[in-house]
Amino acid sequence: MSPVVAYSLQLAPRVLRGLFRSTYSQLAMAKPCILATRLGAPGAIYKCYAPCIEKHFTIIPTEEFTQNRQTLSDSIQAVFVWGGALVVDRDLLQSLPNLKVVVNGGVGVDHLDIPLINSFGVKVCNTPHVVDNATADIGMGLMLASARKILDGHNYSVCHDSDDLPESSMGSDVSGATLGIIGMGRIGYKVAKRASAFDMKILYHNRNRRPEEEERAVGATYCAKMEDLLKSCDFVMVVVNLSPQTHKLIGAKELALMKPTATLVNISRGLVVDQEALVDALQRKAIGAAALDVTYPEPLPRGHPLLSFPNVIVLPHMGTHSRETTGVMVERMITNALAALRGDTPPNEVKV
């Protein structure tokens, strides 16, 4: 090998690194850089939303950042968190000197250490309100699917051995039944509005009672004690935020208070319900059924006991999983990030 060729080979990596730095420097000058899990990767924002984000930002995927941390650290001004694929910890924060905001897609921010992030002078934002209708819709969908055994009917249609529906396929009416809503915030109230259209009797338990005019609008009755609600309802829907106070809020004691024919619907967070206690209650037929959009972990591993019950529906956290809602969430993430980078107060800053 000639000395010239050998020198060229030695020089090549440095040239490539220089080109890489130059390319990203040019991009950073044109648009602010954000760190995000590669779009389309498992647990990341879908690729179809890339044009919307790239209109305003240069996206630096986490893999490229890991491989070229020294080169890219100064360029990143925002982090987009979607699901749990990207962990914002002290190590990451220390490596991003120009970071101004961490934007979470969705309402729940229990996976973010907000005091730690704020201690670096970085704001935290989420996308509230956007998810309210979609989450309320999935709650009603789960309740209806469980009560009327819609999945049983579909499975019968796919692989029936006779023309007669089995007695076990008979469901229960939702209209006229009693729904208990634990957590009457924005989403809980939207659930109540939908349930009132089904002529359901609505009870609710909340830290604070709603104004009487709001109760009358949906025909809801306040229960100061959650125990009173649990004893009285045909369906119990949990719609609370996850916090130390709501961690395993529904456990063995609460499940024992429910009617043996009642259905538990959880559209909040998996850890709000004690899953071991729920499995035990279902095995003992202490409650009638369960319909869950959220679990821990998500999705449940194959062979998990909750997946073995014919009277249990389990979804992999699909409450906000619609084209329209996801699109609005991404747009709201962009709005929050742009505001923070301008030095303005983001419309959805989360403060502790």
Side-chain angles (χ1 to χ4, degrees), residues 246-252 254-255 264 266 268-284 287 290-301 303-307 309 312-317:
T246 62
H247 182 265
K248 295 191 177 179
L249 178 69
I250 306 298
E254 290 72 26
L255 292 165
L264 176 69
N266 187 11
S268 56
R269 283 292 185 269
L271 283 166
V272 171
V273 174
D274 184 335
Q275 285 182 178
E276 292 184 3
L278 178 58
V279 169
D280 180 66
L282 290 162
Q283 289 173 337
R284 294 186 294 102
I287 65 172
L292 313 171
D293 181 44
V294 288
T295 57
Y296 59 93
E298 292 170 350
L300 286 178
H304 190 281
L306 280 174
L307 301 176
F309 294 99
V312 174
I313 298 174
V314 179
L315 300 182
H317 203 156

mmCIF file of all heavy atoms in Angstrom, residues 246-252 254-255 264 266 268-284 287 290-301 303-307 309 312-317:
data_model
loop_
_atom_site.group_PDB
_atom_site.id
_atom_site.type_symbol
_atom_site.label_atom_id
_atom_site.label_comp_id
_atom_site.label_asym_id
_atom_site.label_seq_id
_atom_site.Cartn_x
_atom_site.Cartn_y
_atom_site.Cartn_z
ATOM 1 N N THR A 246 -52.702 7.828 44.846
ATOM 2 C CA THR A 246 -53.555 6.929 44.052
ATOM 3 C C THR A 246 -52.864 5.622 43.684
ATOM 4 O O THR A 246 -53.454 4.787 42.998
ATOM 5 C CB THR A 246 -54.024 7.634 42.763
ATOM 6 O OG1 THR A 246 -52.879 7.964 41.957
ATOM 7 C CG2 THR A 246 -54.811 8.894 43.092
ATOM 8 N N HIS A 247 -51.613 5.439 44.114
ATOM 9 C CA HIS A 247 -50.896 4.189 43.832
ATOM 10 C C HIS A 247 -51.649 3.022 44.484
ATOM 11 O O HIS A 247 -51.859 3.012 45.691
ATOM 12 C CB HIS A 247 -49.469 4.285 44.363
ATOM 13 C CG HIS A 247 -48.643 3.074 44.088
ATOM 14 N ND1 HIS A 247 -48.492 2.043 44.990
ATOM 15 C CD2 HIS A 247 -47.912 2.731 42.992
ATOM 16 C CE1 HIS A 247 -47.712 1.114 44.479
ATOM 17 N NE2 HIS A 247 -47.344 1.504 43.274
ATOM 18 N N LYS A 248 -52.096 2.074 43.646
ATOM 19 C CA LYS A 248 -52.887 0.925 44.100
ATOM 20 C C LYS A 248 -54.097 1.378 44.925
ATOM 21 O O LYS A 248 -54.437 0.800 45.964
ATOM 22 C CB LYS A 248 -52.013 -0.069 44.871
ATOM 23 C CG LYS A 248 -50.934 -0.699 43.979
ATOM 24 C CD LYS A 248 -50.224 -1.859 44.624
ATOM 25 C CE LYS A 248 -49.227 -2.477 43.632
ATOM 26 N NZ LYS A 248 -48.478 -3.610 44.218
ATOM 27 N N LEU A 249 -54.743 2.411 44.417
ATOM 28 C CA LEU A 249 -55.960 2.930 45.036
ATOM 29 C C LEU A 249 -57.046 1.863 45.110
ATOM 30 O O LEU A 249 -57.798 1.787 46.085
ATOM 31 C CB LEU A 249 -56.469 4.131 44.221
ATOM 32 C CG LEU A 249 -57.768 4.795 44.664
ATOM 33 C CD1 LEU A 249 -57.575 5.522 45.985
ATOM 34 C CD2 LEU A 249 -58.260 5.757 43.577
ATOM 35 N N ILE A 250 -57.109 1.043 44.072
ATOM 36 C CA ILE A 250 -58.074 -0.058 44.040
ATOM 37 C C ILE A 250 -57.326 -1.340 44.361
ATOM 38 O O ILE A 250 -56.573 -1.870 43.542
ATOM 39 C CB ILE A 250 -58.761 -0.166 42.662
ATOM 40 C CG1 ILE A 250 -59.394 1.166 42.267
ATOM 41 C CG2 ILE A 250 -59.793 -1.281 42.678
ATOM 42 C CD1 ILE A 250 -60.478 1.643 43.210
ATOM 43 N N GLY A 251 -57.530 -1.824 45.574
ATOM 44 C CA GLY A 251 -56.871 -3.043 46.029
ATOM 45 C C GLY A 251 -57.874 -4.071 46.499
ATOM 46 O O GLY A 251 -59.067 -4.009 46.161
ATOM 47 N N ALA A 252 -57.412 -5.013 47.282
ATOM 48 C CA ALA A 252 -58.266 -6.116 47.744
ATOM 49 C C ALA A 252 -59.481 -5.607 48.514
ATOM 50 O O ALA A 252 -60.610 -6.086 48.326
ATOM 51 C CB ALA A 252 -57.455 -7.075 48.600
ATOM 52 N N GLU A 254 -61.009 -2.678 48.316
ATOM 53 C CA GLU A 254 -61.959 -1.980 47.450
ATOM 54 C C GLU A 254 -62.690 -2.956 46.534
ATOM 55 O O GLU A 254 -63.900 -2.825 46.313
ATOM 56 C CB GLU A 254 -61.226 -0.924 46.622
ATOM 57 C CG GLU A 254 -60.718 0.267 47.422
ATOM 58 C CD GLU A 254 -59.516 -0.064 48.309
ATOM 59 O OE1 GLU A 254 -58.775 -1.025 47.957
ATOM 60 O OE2 GLU A 254 -59.325 0.619 49.327
ATOM 61 N N LEU A 255 -61.973 -3.931 46.005
ATOM 62 C CA LEU A 255 -62.604 -4.920 45.127
ATOM 63 C C LEU A 255 -63.627 -5.748 45.887
ATOM 64 O O LEU A 255 -64.665 -6.139 45.335
ATOM 65 C CB LEU A 255 -61.535 -5.829 44.517
ATOM 66 C CG LEU A 255 -60.585 -5.141 43.523
ATOM 67 C CD1 LEU A 255 -59.360 -6.006 43.256
ATOM 68 C CD2 LEU A 255 -61.313 -4.830 42.218
ATOM 69 N N LEU A 264 -65.018 -3.644 36.576
ATOM 70 C CA LEU A 264 -64.027 -2.600 36.826
ATOM 71 C C LEU A 264 -63.424 -2.170 35.497
ATOM 72 O O LEU A 264 -62.932 -2.996 34.727
ATOM 73 C CB LEU A 264 -62.919 -3.113 37.742
ATOM 74 C CG LEU A 264 -61.771 -2.132 38.011
ATOM 75 C CD1 LEU A 264 -62.248 -0.966 38.866
ATOM 76 C CD2 LEU A 264 -60.595 -2.843 38.672
ATOM 77 N N ASN A 266 -60.562 0.450 33.920
ATOM 78 C CA ASN A 266 -59.442 1.329 34.277
ATOM 79 C C ASN A 266 -58.893 2.003 33.031
ATOM 80 O O ASN A 266 -58.376 1.349 32.128
ATOM 81 C CB ASN A 266 -58.328 0.538 34.974
ATOM 82 C CG ASN A 266 -57.233 1.453 35.495
ATOM 83 O OD1 ASN A 266 -57.375 2.664 35.522
ATOM 84 N ND2 ASN A 266 -56.123 0.855 35.922
ATOM 85 N N SER A 268 -56.989 4.948 33.619
ATOM 86 C CA SER A 268 -56.091 5.934 34.231
ATOM 87 C C SER A 268 -54.635 5.516 34.044
ATOM 88 O O SER A 268 -54.023 5.830 33.028
ATOM 89 C CB SER A 268 -56.433 6.113 35.707
ATOM 90 O OG SER A 268 -56.394 4.875 36.406
ATOM 91 N N ARG A 269 -54.077 4.814 35.003
ATOM 92 C CA ARG A 269 -52.734 4.252 34.933
ATOM 93 C C ARG A 269 -52.779 2.865 35.556
ATOM 94 O O ARG A 269 -53.551 2.604 36.478
ATOM 95 C CB ARG A 269 -51.721 5.121 35.687
ATOM 96 C CG ARG A 269 -51.299 6.382 34.940
ATOM 97 C CD ARG A 269 -50.477 6.051 33.701
ATOM 98 N NE ARG A 269 -49.960 7.235 33.032
ATOM 99 C CZ ARG A 269 -50.588 7.887 32.067
ATOM 100 N NH1 ARG A 269 -51.799 7.483 31.692
ATOM 101 N NH2 ARG A 269 -50.034 8.931 31.478
ATOM 102 N N GLY A 270 -51.930 1.969 35.055
ATOM 103 C CA GLY A 270 -51.958 0.597 35.533
ATOM 104 C C GLY A 270 -51.755 0.480 37.026
ATOM 105 O O GLY A 270 -52.431 -0.308 37.697
ATOM 106 N N LEU A 271 -50.840 1.264 37.577
ATOM 107 C CA LEU A 271 -50.491 1.154 38.994
ATOM 108 C C LEU A 271 -51.564 1.689 39.934
ATOM 109 O O LEU A 271 -51.424 1.589 41.147
ATOM 110 C CB LEU A 271 -49.162 1.863 39.262
ATOM 111 C CG LEU A 271 -47.920 1.077 38.823
ATOM 112 C CD1 LEU A 271 -46.690 1.970 38.792
ATOM 113 C CD2 LEU A 271 -47.686 -0.114 39.746
ATOM 114 N N VAL A 272 -52.620 2.240 39.385
ATOM 115 C CA VAL A 272 -53.734 2.675 40.234
ATOM 116 C C VAL A 272 -54.499 1.460 40.765
ATOM 117 O O VAL A 272 -55.155 1.529 41.798
ATOM 118 C CB VAL A 272 -54.664 3.623 39.454
ATOM 119 C CG1 VAL A 272 -55.950 3.911 40.227
ATOM 120 C CG2 VAL A 272 -53.942 4.929 39.144
ATOM 121 N N VAL A 273 -54.412 0.341 40.057
ATOM 122 C CA VAL A 273 -55.086 -0.899 40.458
ATOM 123 C C VAL A 273 -54.036 -1.928 40.855
ATOM 124 O O VAL A 273 -53.052 -2.138 40.140
ATOM 125 C CB VAL A 273 -55.962 -1.453 39.314
ATOM 126 C CG1 VAL A 273 -56.544 -2.819 39.680
ATOM 127 C CG2 VAL A 273 -57.076 -0.471 38.968
ATOM 128 N N ASP A 274 -54.248 -2.571 41.985
ATOM 129 C CA ASP A 274 -53.388 -3.665 42.440
ATOM 130 C C ASP A 274 -53.728 -4.892 41.593
ATOM 131 O O ASP A 274 -54.757 -5.532 41.800
ATOM 132 C CB ASP A 274 -53.637 -3.937 43.927
ATOM 133 C CG ASP A 274 -52.701 -5.002 44.494
ATOM 134 O OD1 ASP A 274 -52.210 -5.852 43.730
ATOM 135 O OD2 ASP A 274 -52.485 -4.991 45.719
ATOM 136 N N GLN A 275 -52.869 -5.221 40.633
ATOM 137 C CA GLN A 275 -53.185 -6.293 39.687
ATOM 138 C C GLN A 275 -53.253 -7.664 40.357
ATOM 139 O O GLN A 275 -54.074 -8.511 39.951
ATOM 140 C CB GLN A 275 -52.173 -6.308 38.541
ATOM 141 C CG GLN A 275 -52.409 -5.182 37.555
ATOM 142 C CD GLN A 275 -51.463 -5.194 36.377
ATOM 143 O OE1 GLN A 275 -51.579 -4.351 35.499
ATOM 144 N NE2 GLN A 275 -50.532 -6.118 36.304
ATOM 145 N N GLU A 276 -52.428 -7.905 41.346
ATOM 146 C CA GLU A 276 -52.491 -9.190 42.041
ATOM 147 C C GLU A 276 -53.831 -9.336 42.758
ATOM 148 O O GLU A 276 -54.436 -10.415 42.744
ATOM 149 C CB GLU A 276 -51.332 -9.311 43.032
ATOM 150 C CG GLU A 276 -49.970 -9.421 42.366
ATOM 151 C CD GLU A 276 -48.871 -9.626 43.387
ATOM 152 O OE1 GLU A 276 -49.169 -9.746 44.602
ATOM 153 O OE2 GLU A 276 -47.691 -9.664 42.969
ATOM 154 N N ALA A 277 -54.282 -8.256 43.384
ATOM 155 C CA ALA A 277 -55.588 -8.294 44.053
ATOM 156 C C ALA A 277 -56.702 -8.466 43.037
ATOM 157 O O ALA A 277 -57.700 -9.160 43.308
ATOM 158 C CB ALA A 277 -55.789 -7.013 44.856
ATOM 159 N N LEU A 278 -56.549 -7.856 41.855
ATOM 160 C CA LEU A 278 -57.566 -7.996 40.808
ATOM 161 C C LEU A 278 -57.634 -9.431 40.299
ATOM 162 O O LEU A 278 -58.731 -9.986 40.117
ATOM 163 C CB LEU A 278 -57.258 -7.042 39.657
ATOM 164 C CG LEU A 278 -58.211 -7.101 38.464
ATOM 165 C CD1 LEU A 278 -59.653 -6.825 38.875
ATOM 166 C CD2 LEU A 278 -57.773 -6.116 37.368
ATOM 167 N N VAL A 279 -56.484 -10.042 40.078
ATOM 168 C CA VAL A 279 -56.460 -11.449 39.648
ATOM 169 C C VAL A 279 -57.155 -12.326 40.684
ATOM 170 O O VAL A 279 -57.967 -13.198 40.347
ATOM 171 C CB VAL A 279 -55.005 -11.923 39.418
ATOM 172 C CG1 VAL A 279 -54.953 -13.441 39.247
ATOM 173 C CG2 VAL A 279 -54.410 -11.233 38.197
ATOM 174 N N ASP A 280 -56.859 -12.092 41.943
ATOM 175 C CA ASP A 280 -57.475 -12.874 43.023
ATOM 176 C C ASP A 280 -58.983 -12.683 43.044
ATOM 177 O O ASP A 280 -59.745 -13.661 43.188
ATOM 178 C CB ASP A 280 -56.876 -12.472 44.366
ATOM 179 C CG ASP A 280 -57.464 -13.248 45.532
ATOM 180 O OD1 ASP A 280 -57.248 -14.479 45.595
ATOM 181 O OD2 ASP A 280 -58.166 -12.630 46.369
ATOM 182 N N ALA A 281 -59.439 -11.450 42.888
ATOM 183 C CA ALA A 281 -60.881 -11.176 42.900
ATOM 184 C C ALA A 281 -61.581 -11.847 41.727
ATOM 185 O O ALA A 281 -62.697 -12.368 41.872
ATOM 186 C CB ALA A 281 -61.112 -9.664 42.862
ATOM 187 N N LEU A 282 -60.940 -11.856 40.571
ATOM 188 C CA LEU A 282 -61.525 -12.511 39.403
ATOM 189 C C LEU A 282 -61.559 -14.026 39.574
ATOM 190 O O LEU A 282 -62.531 -14.693 39.201
ATOM 191 C CB LEU A 282 -60.735 -12.132 38.147
ATOM 192 C CG LEU A 282 -60.890 -10.677 37.679
ATOM 193 C CD1 LEU A 282 -59.764 -10.301 36.728
ATOM 194 C CD2 LEU A 282 -62.255 -10.476 37.011
ATOM 195 N N GLN A 283 -60.499 -14.580 40.135
ATOM 196 C CA GLN A 283 -60.466 -16.033 40.361
ATOM 197 C C GLN A 283 -61.556 -16.467 41.332
ATOM 198 O O GLN A 283 -62.154 -17.533 41.172
ATOM 199 C CB GLN A 283 -59.087 -16.441 40.884
ATOM 200 C CG GLN A 283 -57.984 -16.363 39.844
ATOM 201 C CD GLN A 283 -56.602 -16.618 40.416
ATOM 202 O OE1 GLN A 283 -56.368 -16.435 41.620
ATOM 203 N NE2 GLN A 283 -55.663 -17.018 39.573
ATOM 204 N N ARG A 284 -61.811 -15.628 42.353
ATOM 205 C CA ARG A 284 -62.838 -15.948 43.349
ATOM 206 C C ARG A 284 -64.224 -15.497 42.917
ATOM 207 O O ARG A 284 -65.193 -15.694 43.640
ATOM 208 C CB ARG A 284 -62.486 -15.298 44.684
ATOM 209 C CG ARG A 284 -61.229 -15.840 45.333
ATOM 210 C CD ARG A 284 -61.006 -15.260 46.725
ATOM 211 N NE ARG A 284 -60.734 -13.816 46.692
ATOM 212 C CZ ARG A 284 -61.621 -12.869 46.983
ATOM 213 N NH1 ARG A 284 -62.864 -13.209 47.318
ATOM 214 N NH2 ARG A 284 -61.291 -11.598 46.949
ATOM 215 N N ILE A 287 -65.829 -10.160 41.644
ATOM 216 C CA ILE A 287 -66.410 -9.173 40.740
ATOM 217 C C ILE A 287 -66.746 -9.874 39.434
ATOM 218 O O ILE A 287 -66.262 -10.980 39.164
ATOM 219 C CB ILE A 287 -65.460 -7.984 40.485
ATOM 220 C CG1 ILE A 287 -64.189 -8.431 39.754
ATOM 221 C CG2 ILE A 287 -65.123 -7.275 41.789
ATOM 222 C CD1 ILE A 287 -63.311 -7.253 39.304
ATOM 223 N N ALA A 290 -63.573 -7.279 34.191
ATOM 224 C CA ALA A 290 -62.659 -6.136 34.182
ATOM 225 C C ALA A 290 -62.361 -5.779 32.737
ATOM 226 O O ALA A 290 -62.279 -6.648 31.863
ATOM 227 C CB ALA A 290 -61.371 -6.447 34.933
ATOM 228 N N ALA A 291 -62.212 -4.484 32.496
ATOM 229 C CA ALA A 291 -61.855 -3.975 31.164
ATOM 230 C C ALA A 291 -60.773 -2.926 31.366
ATOM 231 O O ALA A 291 -61.027 -1.878 31.962
ATOM 232 C CB ALA A 291 -63.075 -3.389 30.462
ATOM 233 N N LEU A 292 -59.568 -3.199 30.877
ATOM 234 C CA LEU A 292 -58.398 -2.399 31.223
ATOM 235 C C LEU A 292 -57.723 -1.841 29.978
ATOM 236 O O LEU A 292 -57.360 -2.590 29.075
ATOM 237 C CB LEU A 292 -57.384 -3.258 31.992
ATOM 238 C CG LEU A 292 -57.940 -4.124 33.134
ATOM 239 C CD1 LEU A 292 -56.860 -5.070 33.643
ATOM 240 C CD2 LEU A 292 -58.478 -3.247 34.264
ATOM 241 N N ASP A 293 -57.549 -0.533 29.962
ATOM 242 C CA ASP A 293 -56.728 0.062 28.911
ATOM 243 C C ASP A 293 -55.282 0.172 29.363
ATOM 244 O O ASP A 293 -54.382 0.310 28.541
ATOM 245 C CB ASP A 293 -57.257 1.456 28.544
ATOM 246 C CG ASP A 293 -56.438 2.100 27.430
ATOM 247 O OD1 ASP A 293 -56.122 1.397 26.453
ATOM 248 O OD2 ASP A 293 -56.103 3.291 27.535
ATOM 249 N N VAL A 294 -55.065 0.111 30.669
ATOM 250 C CA VAL A 294 -53.735 0.314 31.236
ATOM 251 C C VAL A 294 -53.393 -0.817 32.204
ATOM 252 O O VAL A 294 -54.264 -1.343 32.895
ATOM 253 C CB VAL A 294 -53.657 1.672 31.964
ATOM 254 C CG1 VAL A 294 -53.651 2.815 30.968
ATOM 255 C CG2 VAL A 294 -54.817 1.838 32.938
ATOM 256 N N THR A 295 -52.124 -1.186 32.229
ATOM 257 C CA THR A 295 -51.640 -2.266 33.097
ATOM 258 C C THR A 295 -50.214 -1.931 33.526
ATOM 259 O O THR A 295 -49.673 -0.903 33.137
ATOM 260 C CB THR A 295 -51.626 -3.617 32.352
ATOM 261 O OG1 THR A 295 -50.803 -3.485 31.174
ATOM 262 C CG2 THR A 295 -53.028 -4.046 31.953
ATOM 263 N N TYR A 296 -49.612 -2.807 34.287
ATOM 264 C CA TYR A 296 -48.172 -2.709 34.530
ATOM 265 C C TYR A 296 -47.597 -4.116 34.486
ATOM 266 O O TYR A 296 -48.072 -4.994 35.187
ATOM 267 C CB TYR A 296 -47.857 -2.004 35.861
ATOM 268 C CG TYR A 296 -48.424 -2.634 37.117
ATOM 269 C CD1 TYR A 296 -47.696 -3.556 37.874
ATOM 270 C CD2 TYR A 296 -49.709 -2.297 37.561
ATOM 271 C CE1 TYR A 296 -48.213 -4.115 39.032
ATOM 272 C CE2 TYR A 296 -50.233 -2.849 38.717
ATOM 273 C CZ TYR A 296 -49.484 -3.756 39.450
ATOM 274 O OH TYR A 296 -50.020 -4.312 40.600
ATOM 275 N N PRO A 297 -46.617 -4.370 33.582
ATOM 276 C CA PRO A 297 -46.130 -3.425 32.571
ATOM 277 C C PRO A 297 -47.103 -3.315 31.400
ATOM 278 O O PRO A 297 -48.159 -3.950 31.411
ATOM 279 C CB PRO A 297 -44.814 -4.062 32.126
ATOM 280 C CG PRO A 297 -45.070 -5.538 32.269
ATOM 281 C CD PRO A 297 -45.927 -5.677 33.500
ATOM 282 N N GLU A 298 -46.725 -2.492 30.424
ATOM 283 C CA GLU A 298 -47.518 -2.367 29.197
ATOM 284 C C GLU A 298 -46.625 -2.655 28.001
ATOM 285 O O GLU A 298 -45.565 -2.029 27.879
ATOM 286 C CB GLU A 298 -48.095 -0.947 29.064
ATOM 287 C CG GLU A 298 -49.140 -0.628 30.101
ATOM 288 C CD GLU A 298 -49.534 0.830 30.124
ATOM 289 O OE1 GLU A 298 -48.860 1.654 29.444
ATOM 290 O OE2 GLU A 298 -50.496 1.174 30.837
ATOM 291 N N PRO A 299 -47.018 -3.574 27.130
ATOM 292 C CA PRO A 299 -48.145 -4.496 27.302
ATOM 293 C C PRO A 299 -47.808 -5.585 28.309
ATOM 294 O O PRO A 299 -46.637 -5.779 28.658
ATOM 295 C CB PRO A 299 -48.323 -5.084 25.900
ATOM 296 C CG PRO A 299 -46.937 -5.049 25.316
ATOM 297 C CD PRO A 299 -46.305 -3.791 25.857
ATOM 298 N N LEU A 300 -48.845 -6.301 28.757
ATOM 299 C CA LEU A 300 -48.613 -7.412 29.667
ATOM 300 C C LEU A 300 -47.852 -8.523 28.945
ATOM 301 O O LEU A 300 -48.069 -8.760 27.758
ATOM 302 C CB LEU A 300 -49.947 -7.976 30.175
ATOM 303 C CG LEU A 300 -50.705 -7.148 31.210
ATOM 304 C CD1 LEU A 300 -52.025 -7.834 31.547
ATOM 305 C CD2 LEU A 300 -49.884 -6.947 32.476
ATOM 306 N N PRO A 301 -46.964 -9.201 29.644
ATOM 307 C CA PRO A 301 -46.258 -10.326 28.999
ATOM 308 C C PRO A 301 -47.220 -11.464 28.694
ATOM 309 O O PRO A 301 -48.228 -11.648 29.377
ATOM 310 C CB PRO A 301 -45.230 -10.740 30.049
ATOM 311 C CG PRO A 301 -45.791 -10.274 31.351
ATOM 312 C CD PRO A 301 -46.546 -9.013 31.046
ATOM 313 N N GLY A 303 -48.951 -14.876 28.743
ATOM 314 C CA GLY A 303 -49.099 -15.805 29.848
ATOM 315 C C GLY A 303 -49.454 -15.147 31.156
ATOM 316 O O GLY A 303 -49.634 -15.834 32.170
ATOM 317 N N HIS A 304 -49.579 -13.814 31.181
ATOM 318 C CA HIS A 304 -49.976 -13.141 32.418
ATOM 319 C C HIS A 304 -51.383 -13.602 32.799
ATOM 320 O O HIS A 304 -52.255 -13.775 31.933
ATOM 321 C CB HIS A 304 -49.957 -11.623 32.227
ATOM 322 C CG HIS A 304 -50.108 -10.864 33.509
ATOM 323 N ND1 HIS A 304 -51.327 -10.681 34.134
ATOM 324 C CD2 HIS A 304 -49.192 -10.244 34.296
ATOM 325 C CE1 HIS A 304 -51.159 -9.979 35.243
ATOM 326 N NE2 HIS A 304 -49.873 -9.700 35.361
ATOM 327 N N PRO A 305 -51.637 -13.823 34.097
ATOM 328 C CA PRO A 305 -52.952 -14.330 34.529
ATOM 329 C C PRO A 305 -54.137 -13.503 34.041
ATOM 330 O O PRO A 305 -55.196 -14.062 33.729
ATOM 331 C CB PRO A 305 -52.850 -14.292 36.060
ATOM 332 C CG PRO A 305 -51.393 -14.423 36.347
ATOM 333 C CD PRO A 305 -50.690 -13.705 35.227
ATOM 334 N N LEU A 306 -53.983 -12.189 33.946
ATOM 335 C CA LEU A 306 -55.111 -11.356 33.507
ATOM 336 C C LEU A 306 -55.537 -11.667 32.079
ATOM 337 O O LEU A 306 -56.684 -11.413 31.705
ATOM 338 C CB LEU A 306 -54.752 -9.870 33.620
ATOM 339 C CG LEU A 306 -54.850 -9.249 35.011
ATOM 340 C CD1 LEU A 306 -54.319 -7.818 34.998
ATOM 341 C CD2 LEU A 306 -56.292 -9.282 35.527
ATOM 342 N N LEU A 307 -54.627 -12.214 31.289
ATOM 343 C CA LEU A 307 -54.952 -12.519 29.892
ATOM 344 C C LEU A 307 -55.672 -13.852 29.740
ATOM 345 O O LEU A 307 -56.090 -14.202 28.632
ATOM 346 C CB LEU A 307 -53.666 -12.535 29.061
ATOM 347 C CG LEU A 307 -52.850 -11.242 29.063
ATOM 348 C CD1 LEU A 307 -51.549 -11.426 28.284
ATOM 349 C CD2 LEU A 307 -53.658 -10.089 28.491
ATOM 350 N N PHE A 309 -58.486 -14.787 31.533
ATOM 351 C CA PHE A 309 -59.896 -14.752 31.923
ATOM 352 C C PHE A 309 -60.781 -14.400 30.727
ATOM 353 O O PHE A 309 -60.520 -13.416 30.022
ATOM 354 C CB PHE A 309 -60.131 -13.716 33.025
ATOM 355 C CG PHE A 309 -59.467 -14.031 34.329
ATOM 356 C CD1 PHE A 309 -58.259 -13.429 34.671
ATOM 357 C CD2 PHE A 309 -60.049 -14.921 35.221
ATOM 358 C CE1 PHE A 309 -57.641 -13.708 35.875
ATOM 359 C CE2 PHE A 309 -59.440 -15.217 36.429
ATOM 360 C CZ PHE A 309 -58.229 -14.612 36.762
ATOM 361 N N VAL A 312 -62.334 -10.732 30.909
ATOM 362 C CA VAL A 312 -61.421 -9.601 31.039
ATOM 363 C C VAL A 312 -60.974 -9.149 29.651
ATOM 364 O O VAL A 312 -60.594 -9.961 28.812
ATOM 365 C CB VAL A 312 -60.183 -9.974 31.887
ATOM 366 C CG1 VAL A 312 -59.172 -8.825 31.891
ATOM 367 C CG2 VAL A 312 -60.596 -10.311 33.315
ATOM 368 N N ILE A 313 -61.045 -7.845 29.428
ATOM 369 C CA ILE A 313 -60.513 -7.235 28.205
ATOM 370 C C ILE A 313 -59.284 -6.423 28.591
ATOM 371 O O ILE A 313 -59.331 -5.618 29.520
ATOM 372 C CB ILE A 313 -61.556 -6.322 27.535
ATOM 373 C CG1 ILE A 313 -62.788 -7.126 27.117
ATOM 374 C CG2 ILE A 313 -60.952 -5.621 26.313
ATOM 375 C CD1 ILE A 313 -63.924 -6.261 26.585
ATOM 376 N N VAL A 314 -58.182 -6.644 27.877
ATOM 377 C CA VAL A 314 -56.950 -5.906 28.156
ATOM 378 C C VAL A 314 -56.461 -5.260 26.865
ATOM 379 O O VAL A 314 -56.241 -5.940 25.862
ATOM 380 C CB VAL A 314 -55.845 -6.827 28.720
ATOM 381 C CG1 VAL A 314 -54.571 -6.029 28.968
ATOM 382 C CG2 VAL A 314 -56.306 -7.504 30.003
ATOM 383 N N LEU A 315 -56.291 -3.948 26.903
ATOM 384 C CA LEU A 315 -55.723 -3.217 25.776
ATOM 385 C C LEU A 315 -54.315 -2.732 26.140
ATOM 386 O O LEU A 315 -54.016 -2.510 27.310
ATOM 387 C CB LEU A 315 -56.602 -2.001 25.429
ATOM 388 C CG LEU A 315 -58.047 -2.269 25.024
ATOM 389 C CD1 LEU A 315 -58.746 -0.956 24.672
ATOM 390 C CD2 LEU A 315 -58.125 -3.238 23.861
ATOM 391 N N PRO A 316 -53.464 -2.523 25.138
ATOM 392 C CA PRO A 316 -52.086 -2.062 25.404
ATOM 393 C C PRO A 316 -51.996 -0.542 25.460
ATOM 394 O O PRO A 316 -51.216 0.071 24.751
ATOM 395 C CB PRO A 316 -51.306 -2.638 24.228
ATOM 396 C CG PRO A 316 -52.290 -2.611 23.102
ATOM 397 C CD PRO A 316 -53.633 -2.900 23.713
ATOM 398 N N HIS A 317 -52.812 0.077 26.311
ATOM 399 C CA HIS A 317 -52.826 1.536 26.499
ATOM 400 C C HIS A 317 -53.122 2.237 25.169
ATOM 401 O O HIS A 317 -52.281 2.942 24.608
ATOM 402 C CB HIS A 317 -51.504 2.022 27.085
ATOM 403 C CG HIS A 317 -51.633 3.345 27.786
ATOM 404 N ND1 HIS A 317 -50.766 3.761 28.760
ATOM 405 C CD2 HIS A 317 -52.546 4.349 27.662
ATOM 406 C CE1 HIS A 317 -51.121 4.957 29.203
ATOM 407 N NE2 HIS A 317 -52.202 5.342 28.537
#
